[in-house]
Amino acid sequence: GPLERRRCRYLHTGRACCQMVETLLAALILVCSSVSGGSPGGYTGLPALGGIYYYQYGGAYSGFSGADGERAQQLDQRFHLLKLPIARAAMAVGGCLLVFPCVLILVGVLRVPWHFPAWLLVECTLDIVIAVGTIPALYCFFHSLLRVYNSSVCKVREQLYQSKGYQGFWCSLHGAEIAAGLLGCVAAMAYLLSAGLAVREYRTVHEQKQKPVQL
């Protein structure tokens, strides 16, 4: 009926489109973060993802003998444990960023801003807080990762695999982590745009609600 059409009309607005983009970016950040904190062993470079086959079937350590193989496994596990808290924190942030715009879309479809225009100011404030908070969050993310890659565990692990001819175990940021950072920057800009649209919508709703009183 007319009520359903009015609710679905919100999905064609600029705010809804911006919020759907934020949802997509959050989902991609979540995926990239999960790749960063993947299995205990594995190639750290995206071009070497084909080497995952060796880990699945136990052939990754075929070039090692005896103590070297056990040492490689131990280094993989220690390196994984160093990166795991960072990856979990990034996944938690990505999950929160995924839920937040979904809630805003639901609120918009239910026409809550029309009945309570002050909600738009609250939404604008939250958008600005998220956009500004993304900058220190990205700094902590990359600072923590670089600290792990500069650790002795990563350096020894890199040298051990290189001595056996294996590639892809470099102590540097890989594609998924860089992509997560870039997506975070784009998400911050999207939230700033969403904040501006929320202010404009507040003015529009306020003016429309004042018209019957003036008449």
Side-chain angles (χ1 to χ4, degrees):
L3 179 61
E4 294 298 326
R5 286 197 295 270
R6 286 198 299 270
R7 288 178 175 177
C8 294
R9 194 179 304 164
Y10 173 75
L11 298 178
H12 298 281
T13 63
R15 284 178 55 236
C17 293
C18 192
Q19 290 162 359
M20 286 187 280
V21 170
E22 293 165 3
T23 303
L24 176 62
L25 292 172
L28 293 175
I29 291 173
L30 188 60
V31 171
C32 292
S33 302
S34 63
V35 171
S36 177
S39 60
Y43 286 83
T44 59
L46 290 182
L49 285 178
I52 291 177
Y53 167 83
Y54 296 103
Y55 282 93
Q56 296 295 333
Y57 296 96
Y61 306 106
S62 59
F64 297 92
S65 60
D68 286 340
E70 295 180 359
R71 188 185 181 195
Q73 291 179 347
Q74 292 175 358
L75 289 172
D76 278 345
Q77 292 174 356
R78 292 175 60 187
F79 180 70
H80 173 69
L81 291 176
L82 288 175
K83 289 185 64 178
L84 188 59
I86 306 170
R88 285 180 174 176
M91 291 173 63
V93 172
C96 293
L97 293 179
L98 181 62
V99 172
F100 180 68
C102 292
V103 173
L104 294 183
I105 292 173
L106 178 61
V107 169
V109 170
L110 296 177
R111 293 174 59 83
V112 173
W114 173 258
H115 299 290
F116 304 99
W119 166 258
L120 291 168
L121 298 179
V122 175
E123 180 180 326
C124 174
T125 303
L126 293 175
D127 288 336
I128 294 175
V129 169
I130 292 175
V132 174
T134 301
I135 305 303
L138 288 175
Y139 172 80
C140 293
F141 176 69
F142 285 112
H143 179 74
S144 301
L145 282 176
L146 291 175
R147 185 172 57 186
V148 171
Y149 287 127
N150 290 328
S151 65
S152 58
V153 173
C154 184
K155 297 297 183 181
V156 173
R157 176 175 177 266
E158 179 184 30
Q159 293 175 0
L160 179 61
Y161 278 102
Q162 286 182 348
S163 66
K164 300 298 181 179
Y166 287 97
Q167 301 295 324
F169 296 89
W170 304 291
C171 293
S172 59
L173 298 172
H174 62 71
E177 293 162 350
I178 297 174
L182 294 176
L183 291 169
C185 294
V186 176
M189 292 186 288
Y191 275 103
L192 287 177
L193 177 60
S194 183
L197 293 175
V199 172
R200 189 181 69 175
E201 184 69 15
Y202 173 79
R203 293 175 179 174
T204 302
V205 172
H206 185 71
E207 291 175 358
Q208 291 179 355
K209 282 183 172 291
Q210 292 297 322
K211 286 181 180 180
V213 178
Q214 293 174 358
L215 293 174

